[in-house]
Amino acid sequence: MLTDGDTLIMLARLAAAVCLVLTPLSALSQESFPNRPISVVVPFPPGGMADLSARPLSVSMEQVLKQPVVVVNKAGASGAVGIQNVANSKPDGYTIMVSLVSFSTIPEVDEMFGRKPAYSRDQFTPIALLAADPPVLAVGAGTPWKSVKELVEDAKKRPGEIVYSHSGLYGPSHLPMEMFLHAAGVRMRQVPAVGGGPAMTLVLGGNAAMWSSPPAMALQHVQSQKIRVLASWGAKRHAAFPDAPTLKELGYDVEFYVWSGVFAPKGVAEPTVTILRDAVRKAVAFPEFKTSMAKVQTPVMYLDGPEFKQFLEKDARMLSTAIKRIGRIEDKK
Amino acid sequence: MSLPRLRNDQLSGLMLLALALFVGWQNRAYPLGSVQEPGAGYTPLLIAVFLGVIGLLIALKGASSEPLSEMQWPEAKRAAMILVACAVATYALEHLGYRITVMSLLVFFLGVMEHKKPLAVASVAIGFSLLSFYFIGTLLRVPLPRGPLGW
Amino acid sequence: MADTFQNLLLGFQVALQWNVLGYAFAGCVIGTLVGMMPGLGPLAGISLLLPATFGLNPIIAMVLLGGVYYGAMYGGSTTSILMRIPGEAASVMTCVDGYAMTQNGRAGAALAIAAIGSFVAGTFGVIGLMLLAPTLAALALRFGPPEYTALLMMGFFILAYMSGGSMPKTLAMAAFGLLLGMIGIDAMTGYTRFSFGVIELGDGVGIVPVAVGLFGISEILMTAAAGEGPKVRIPKFRELMPSAREFKDSVGPIARGSLLGFLIGIIPGSAHVISSFVSYGLERRLSKHPERFGKGAIEGVAGPESANNSAATGAFVPMMALGIPTGPVTAVMIAAVMVHGISPGPTMIQNQPELFWGFVASMYVGNVVLLILNLPLVGLFVNLLRIPYAYLYPGILCFCILGCYSVSNSVVDVWIMLIMGGVGYALRKFGYDLAPVALGLVLAPMLELSLRQSLAMSAGDYTIFLQRPIALTMLCLGVLLLLLGLKPLLSKKKDWRSKVGLDEVPD
């Protein structure tokens, strides 16, 4: 006859047996990550910089991970929709995201306007940095300035008269410009456009004097002599514009990068994160990846998870200061 | 004026006025700016005022329009059913996945509302949902929502 | 001229190779099918196919995407005419008279004229692109925010012509559309307006879910709920082609629509969407019997369809000649080419002539292919009307949901569509015309943005509009149009009173 004690011991043995069986199984299931397709969410419409970085990456990652890696575009609100979507997704490693520098700026701007932030940066685990391109200062062919020095002198003489355009408030062409203007101590008027194309059109048509342009977009117009590039926002001179000094060289302590990076939602298990980091590291080394990126004129700059995290934090601090300094546009009246 | 004698133009005009007032009220959170530099709230306010005036005009002119009680709404109940069914399906779309949702929706329309034979209902429902998923989801690679079991 | 001809020959040599032709054909077919899906239009079509083109060579990629683009434009008119469901934003106006023609039993004629008009306009646009690309592009660059504002104001004044119904109701609907256009992030100040916390509304309510819902869903709610099918006459085989009268009536609208659309299309920006609205308003104004519009006037199909096709072609002019993305569609096309390391622009025309001319030639080819494809299919499409309505409308509803969802992978779009469907149903019951809502929705954000941009450029000085000649000319034209449009209203004042049964006011 079984006593309670016996039953208990039997149950304990059963439990132990189950655990023993399951543990290797669970380790197995983690080691077998990935065992189904991974989706890479790009929070922008097809054809943009994030998209053009994510697609070659997913092709190469597919070869590393031996599972389909599919790019899913979930555009909206300058990226906020897609990013929020990934923040709330299941942290099992099957949903990752390629995002741009706006990742760090959107929550700040939300806060400044008193809106509930769409997401917060700590809802994400940084996996890797893919590319970091500094923008260049593109001035229209009809403008008289041949160097940043001339520009700054002119701006000092007529504050608030020169007009610059950008692709969106607090975006990757507005912030670098404002940072430069603050460092140079001059004031200019801004005309917002919606997107890079329209911003460039404003400068090409003489409706705005200059803007902070992605190098790829500027290159073709420099070749057709419709714009001139006076400087770049990087730490080193841009390979495509060797004659353009960096703003740092000119004495302004300003650096800005339009970067793209890979993120996973927070809560993904450590081993999975490691697998993802490894996969990205290997993918980035593939020659096909490098060629694809070169074709769209985006130089690869790879940083692994922990270094990327540091880069992110430093970058975010700088962006936050700039955003707060710009403040809300109508508050300046 | 008591409700039964309300004319339909008066009602719709008043509703437009109400919408305009609502917008104007919501708009208070946005700075107006000035004529030289219109702020976020400037244009919506202009439009809301315009809409309000027009709505009032319609309501006032509406004394000569058709009386509300004479408006024909014979199909309203069925229309509401269709709309509600679609709403439920839209909600279910990302919870149950595309195929199941569409199948259920078609079963509802064809079976419940149109009283078609079960065989016809089943074949259309299953055929449509699977075929459309194949063409749009697999061939064109549009990521259609999948249910909890991945289906 | 000889130069151009030679280049064109080069282009045809490229475009008529078997594999390129095959891809163009495939693109046209896929585009037509995609365009027929409610909500999926050219943008959705090429976005869907963009990834597939990365592995192909650049000419084929452009030809394929171009074919999809065109095909979607042709396909979008099919559902508009047959079922009053706009295939995409540019087909909204086609719904009005196109569907009325279907109800009169002239569905075949409407489809045929839409195809023919699109062909003529598309060919016209391609010729324009070919001959004038660099010149036009330089002109287009001079279009800054003030000119854009003036153009959009003109489009706005067209409202006065759009509807035969009561003017206050038309204006009310326009205002409603304008308000809908205010939803979203304000580009000038960064505020998110009227989004009620829904983040997907940050970019505003899209024209696609609104158009499909307002026109399509409301139509289904009205007819399906009534229990019987739509009162549509199915044409006999002999009645499929347009009559001589209809052909004659369409010549003017097609010609005007092609020119108008092309001019609007070459302007960088998304203004080409308003081309079909402007064409409709223009045709109605020029017609000797404007009261026919809305009841099945073929001019109301021929004009808008031609305008939106040539506008679509015109939109390629700044893209090709300047290399700038002037809207979401051209941005995708540019990306498609950039992945192969080519940057569109003036250098491309010089350095890679076979790409530019091959593309131009393939657009000719595409237009021909689509005409050949669509004309015989008219008979097939018209037979769709024979499907018992009880089976048809659930299918259409599911397609609408599927189409709307696929555009941005967003359920919010489907909700917008359904809500607008209910709203459209109520509005129609109360006797309001829906087309002005679409125009208002499309115009409002663009008009407000370019106006405030102009003011930002001039530091608040309104005289900037007077100082810039192009803007000034267009503004004057616009005011003229407005006054002309209001004239009938003022002179018919007496009629209006008697029509409504009021006693004439004693003097």
Side-chain angles (χ1 to χ4, degrees):
Chain A
M1 199 175 67
L2 287 173
T3 62
D4 286 328
D6 286 340
T7 325
L8 220 54
I9 294 178
M10 246 176 60
L11 276 176
R13 285 216 185 108
L14 193 58
V18 168
C19 285
L20 272 176
V21 170
L22 281 185
T23 319
L25 271 185
S26 73
L28 208 69
S29 77
Q30 279 191 352
E31 269 172 42
S32 70
F33 171 88
N35 53 19
R36 42 185 178 86
I38 298 183
S39 30
V40 177
V41 173
V42 173
F44 297 97
M49 181 182 163
D51 198 60
L52 293 176
S53 311
R55 291 187 191 272
L57 181 73
S58 34
V59 166
S60 302
M61 274 178 78
E62 226 177 89
Q63 294 178 16
V64 172
L65 292 171
K66 309 279 186 281
Q67 281 285 334
V69 177
V70 183
V71 169
V72 175
N73 295 86
K74 240 191 193 314
S78 318
V81 172
I83 301 178
Q84 188 192 53
N85 185 272
V86 175
N88 297 332
S89 67
K90 208 163 115 183
D92 54 7
Y94 288 98
T95 312
I96 58 178
M97 153 178 103
V98 171
S99 185
L100 301 183
V101 60
S102 45
F103 169 79
S104 301
T105 57
I106 293 176
E108 293 279 343
V109 175
D110 277 343
E111 237 185 86
M112 193 166 71
F113 278 91
R115 300 193 280 258
K116 185 162 153 273
Y119 60 89
S120 87
R121 286 199 295 270
D122 19 294
Q123 282 178 294
F124 289 93
T125 315
I127 302 280
L129 180 70
L130 291 179
D133 220 12
V136 295
L137 183 61
V139 302
T143 58
W145 317 292
K146 299 278 184 304
S147 69
V148 174
K149 186 155 160 294
E150 285 176 37
L151 172 63
V152 171
E153 272 170 18
D154 199 12
K156 285 204 167 107
K157 276 189 264 177
R158 24 186 207 132
E161 272 183 41
I162 305 181
V163 179
Y164 76 90
S165 67
H166 60 77
S167 58
L169 281 174
Y170 314 108
S173 59
H174 182 213
L175 291 177
M177 203 61 202
E178 283 291 326
M179 285 161 64
F180 162 59
L181 293 177
H182 175 80
V186 295
R187 221 167 36 90
M188 285 190 203
R189 273 213 305 275
Q190 46 108 3
V191 176
V194 182
M200 179 62 98
T201 313
L202 283 174
V203 175
L204 290 174
N207 293 299
M210 70 191 85
W211 77 299
S212 164
S213 162
M217 210 187 260
L219 198 58
Q220 35 158 321
H221 296 292
V222 167
Q223 285 169 353
S224 53
Q225 302 191 317
K226 293 224 169 60
I227 60 172
R228 293 191 298 274
V229 168
L230 295 184
S232 87
W233 266 267
K236 301 193 299 261
R237 294 199 173 196
H238 197 279
F241 302 101
D243 295 327
T246 66
L247 288 173
K248 272 210 142 98
E249 277 177 47
L250 295 170
Y252 306 107
D253 186 20
V254 172
E255 240 180 274
F256 190 88
Y257 297 96
V258 180
W259 51 258
S260 62
V262 185
F263 295 84
K266 192 180 197 58
V268 177
E270 262 309 307
T272 316
V273 171
T274 316
I275 296 179
L276 286 170
R277 277 170 50 195
D278 279 339
V280 175
R281 189 179 318 121
K282 294 197 183 103
V284 167
F286 275 34
E288 296 98 46
F289 180 75
K290 295 206 179 120
T291 346
S292 307
M293 295 293 269
K295 278 203 186 136
V296 293
Q297 321 247 2
T298 311
V300 177
M301 187 173 128
Y302 171 77
L303 282 181
D304 196 5
E307 290 90 38
F308 181 33
K309 192 150 183 272
Q310 282 179 334
F311 173 87
L312 266 180
E313 278 164 19
K314 177 160 159 260
D315 194 59
R317 273 198 298 273
M318 175 184 75
L319 295 172
S320 171
T321 326
I323 293 175
K324 291 209 177 67
R325 200 169 50 224
I326 300 175
R328 292 197 291 202
I329 302 292
E330 85 290 343
D331 286 341
K332 288 247 186 80
K333 306 293 163 288
Chain B
M1 64 201 135
S2 56
L3 226 44
R5 273 177 39 215
L6 197 60
R7 309 252 163 177
N8 67 357
D9 270 3
Q10 289 176 327
L11 180 62
S12 57
L14 286 176
M15 302 238 53
L16 289 173
L17 178 62
L19 176 65
L21 289 172
F22 173 69
V23 170
W25 171 246
Q26 287 290 116
N27 194 48
R28 72 195 189 284
Y30 313 124
L32 280 184
S34 63
V35 183
Q36 274 81 30
E37 209 156 330
Y42 199 85
T43 318
L45 189 62
L46 269 179
I47 304 174
V49 166
F50 181 65
L51 180 65
V53 166
I54 298 265
L56 201 58
L57 219 81
I58 295 178
L60 291 175
K61 251 182 65 182
S64 50
S65 68
E66 207 184 282
L68 198 60
S69 43
E70 281 176 31
M71 265 181 72
Q72 303 287 353
W73 300 79
E75 75 282 325
K77 183 155 156 279
R78 272 174 62 104
M81 273 170 68
I82 295 179
L83 207 54
V84 168
C86 287
V88 170
T90 309
Y91 180 73
L93 204 56
E94 292 200 319
H95 296 271
L96 290 180
Y98 174 78
R99 282 173 280 205
I100 299 185
T101 310
V102 167
M103 250 190 256
S104 324
L105 189 63
L106 284 173
V107 165
F108 175 75
F109 278 134
L110 292 173
V112 175
M113 280 194 67
E114 298 292 329
H115 308 296
K116 295 289 174 201
K117 294 209 189 66
L119 187 60
V121 173
S123 44
V124 171
I126 296 179
F128 185 94
S129 59
L130 292 182
L131 275 177
S132 60
F133 187 88
Y134 178 67
F135 278 115
I136 309 285
T138 315
L139 282 187
L140 285 182
R141 303 183 69 171
V142 172
L144 292 173
R146 290 167 186 266
L149 299 168
W151 202 71
Chain C
M1 197 57 211
D3 215 19
T4 312
F5 195 60
Q6 208 169 2
N7 283 324
L8 197 58
L9 272 181
L10 169 69
F12 271 115
Q13 270 183 325
V14 171
L16 291 176
Q17 292 167 27
W18 282 117
N19 59 343
V20 178
L21 207 59
Y23 274 103
F25 188 77
C28 290
V29 171
I30 298 177
T32 311
L33 290 175
V34 168
M36 282 176 64
M37 287 271 303
L40 291 184
L43 177 62
I46 62 177
S47 307
L48 291 175
L49 259 86
L50 178 68
T53 65
F54 289 159
L56 310 165
N57 84 45
I59 298 183
I60 292 190
M62 285 198 82
V63 162
L64 181 67
L65 289 180
V68 172
Y69 184 60
Y70 266 108
M73 301 232 59
Y74 275 76
S77 26
T78 311
T79 45
S80 309
I81 292 174
L82 289 179
M83 291 160 204
R84 208 173 193 257
I85 300 182
E88 21 107 38
S91 314
V92 167
M93 282 326 287
T94 318
C95 283
V96 179
D97 276 272
Y99 188 63
M101 284 182 73
T102 303
Q103 286 177 312
N104 296 344
R106 305 300 305 152
L111 287 171
I113 284 289
I116 295 172
S118 300
F119 173 72
V120 172
T123 311
F124 176 80
V126 175
I127 295 178
L129 172 65
M130 177 184 81
L131 293 177
L132 302 170
T135 332
L136 285 174
L139 183 70
L141 265 188
R142 301 195 46 203
F143 249 73
E147 285 75 17
Y148 219 70
T149 313
L151 174 73
L152 293 172
M153 288 297 274
M154 263 175 45
F156 186 59
F157 292 147
I158 290 282
L159 272 176
Y161 301 98
M162 267 184 71
S163 177
S166 99
M167 184 61 89
K169 285 189 168 180
T170 307
L171 290 177
M173 286 298 97
F176 178 55
L178 292 173
L179 275 184
L180 283 179
M182 292 287 111
I183 300 178
I185 298 181
D186 175 28
M188 299 294 296
T189 57
Y191 278 94
T192 315
R193 298 188 289 198
F194 307 115
S195 67
F196 302 109
V198 178
I199 239 208
E200 283 87 346
L201 289 180
D203 288 332
V205 299
I207 178 67
V208 166
V210 170
V212 175
L214 210 55
F215 288 85
I217 304 280
S218 70
E219 183 67 29
I220 292 184
L221 287 178
M222 287 189 75
T223 35
E228 346 158 326
K231 297 175 188 44
V232 165
R233 266 198 56 212
I234 306 202
K236 299 200 249 297
F237 187 71
R238 278 173 289 121
E239 294 173 340
L240 280 183
M241 275 293 127
S243 66
R245 178 74 213 251
E246 283 166 337
F247 266 121
K248 184 161 150 297
D249 283 341
S250 306
V251 170
I254 291 181
R256 284 187 289 267
S258 305
L259 184 61
L260 182 70
F262 187 68
L263 288 177
I264 294 183
I266 57 178
I267 298 167
S270 305
H272 59 84
V273 180
I274 68 169
S275 57
S276 53
F277 294 110
V278 174
S279 168
Y280 188 86
L282 183 70
E283 291 310 317
R284 195 159 174 273
R285 180 77 188 88
L286 292 176
S287 164
K288 295 192 182 41
H289 301 279
E291 65 284 349
R292 280 175 39 221
F293 279 73
K295 299 194 185 62
I298 193 135
E299 298 94 319
V301 175
E305 275 301 309
S306 313
N308 75 30
N309 258 64
S310 59
T313 317
F316 286 123
V317 169
M319 177 194 108
M320 283 281 167
L322 297 173
I324 30 175
T326 55
V329 174
T330 41
V332 176
M333 298 287 281
I334 287 184
V337 179
M338 276 182 74
V339 277
H340 301 283
I342 304 173
S343 319
T347 44
M348 180 187 89
I349 302 186
Q350 283 166 350
N351 301 347
Q352 268 126 351
E354 70 277 357
L355 189 62
F356 176 72
W357 293 103
F359 181 64
V360 169
S362 77
M363 280 163 81
Y364 273 127
V365 170
N367 264 305
V368 173
V369 166
L370 281 164
L371 188 68
I372 298 177
L373 206 61
N374 275 291
L375 277 182
L377 285 180
V378 164
L380 181 67
F381 289 145
V382 164
N383 280 320
L384 280 176
L385 293 172
R386 287 187 203 273
I387 301 179
Y389 199 64
Y391 286 101
L392 194 60
Y393 85 79
I396 296 178
L397 278 175
C398 288
F399 269 128
C400 286
I401 293 180
L402 175 59
C404 254
Y405 180 84
S406 306
V407 174
S408 309
N409 292 334
S410 161
V411 186
V412 175
D413 279 349
V414 185
W415 284 117
I416 295 175
M417 179 188 84
L418 288 181
I419 294 175
M420 292 313 288
V423 168
Y425 173 74
L427 286 175
R428 287 171 70 175
K429 278 291 181 189
F430 278 99
Y432 288 85
D433 190 18
L434 297 175
V437 181
L439 181 59
L441 174 59
V442 165
L443 268 185
M446 297 196 291
L447 182 55
E448 193 206 12
L449 179 66
S450 55
L451 177 64
R452 288 160 80 194
Q453 277 177 329
S454 311
L455 291 176
M457 277 167 59
S458 69
D461 192 0
Y462 273 88
T463 60
I464 190 174
F465 294 106
L466 303 174
Q467 289 164 4
R468 294 172 66 126
I470 306 181
L472 183 61
T473 325
M474 288 203 291
L475 268 180
C476 293
L477 260 176
V479 174
L480 209 69
L481 280 172
L482 178 70
L483 291 175
L484 279 176
L486 289 181
K487 191 164 83 84
L489 181 73
L490 296 168
S491 63
K492 276 210 277 198
K493 227 171 148 172
K494 277 195 108 189
D495 293 335
W496 158 85
R497 282 171 182 274
S498 53
K499 255 194 244 172
V500 198
L502 283 182
D503 294 333
E504 305 263 276
V505 177
D507 286 317

